[in-house]
Amino acid sequence: MLSPEEIRVASEALGSDAVVWDGVSSTLSTASSATGSMRSSDAAFCWKGDELFAQYTEIVEAVSTYLSDGASAASDGAQALRDVRDLFIAREDETVSTINGAWEVQL
């Protein structure tokens, strides 16, 4: 069984890691929004033709989608770390309670 100090350190580490992944999610979300705003018009590509405009649009949409998906995955990862931390603490408290109960004198 872990000591209270080890439990505290482990839960703080999981929480800190979750904050890092929240930051990654935020950065990817910002990049996705910025990429999504890189739309152009047919006029900007009129000298190169519709095919180049279509390819450019597909690339911008693909990159924006990948960044958005990455932001969601990072956010989900942060939440999973918090869930593990909470479960870890709950199970540890439950284990300590059970062990302490086993040593209580029954009258």
Side-chain angles (χ1 to χ4, degrees):
M1 184 165 56
L2 297 175
S3 71
E5 181 64 17
E6 290 171 317
I7 294 168
R8 186 188 62 76
V9 169
S11 66
E12 285 177 4
L14 288 166
S16 295
D17 286 351
V19 169
V20 169
W21 285 106
D22 283 334
V24 170
S25 176
S26 178
T27 300
L28 289 173
S29 183
T30 300
S32 175
S33 295
T35 302
S37 69
M38 294 174 59
R39 305 275 186 246
S40 189
S41 66
D42 264 338
F45 288 92
C46 67
W47 55 278
K48 287 290 188 178
D50 290 339
E51 187 175 325
L52 180 61
F53 175 69
Q55 289 175 345
Y56 176 81
T57 301
E58 286 178 26
I59 290 168
V60 168
E61 288 175 5
V63 170
S64 183
T65 298
Y66 286 135
L67 290 168
S68 180
D69 290 349
S72 293
S75 179
D76 291 348
Q79 186 56 50
L81 288 168
R82 286 186 189 91
D83 292 345
V84 167
R85 178 198 61 202
D86 294 346
L87 180 63
F88 177 71
I89 290 170
R91 297 300 261 173
E92 188 63 24
D93 289 345
E94 180 182 309
T95 301
V96 167
S97 176
T98 301
I99 290 171
N100 287 339
W103 294 105
E104 290 178 7
V105 175
Q106 302 290 324
L107 298 177

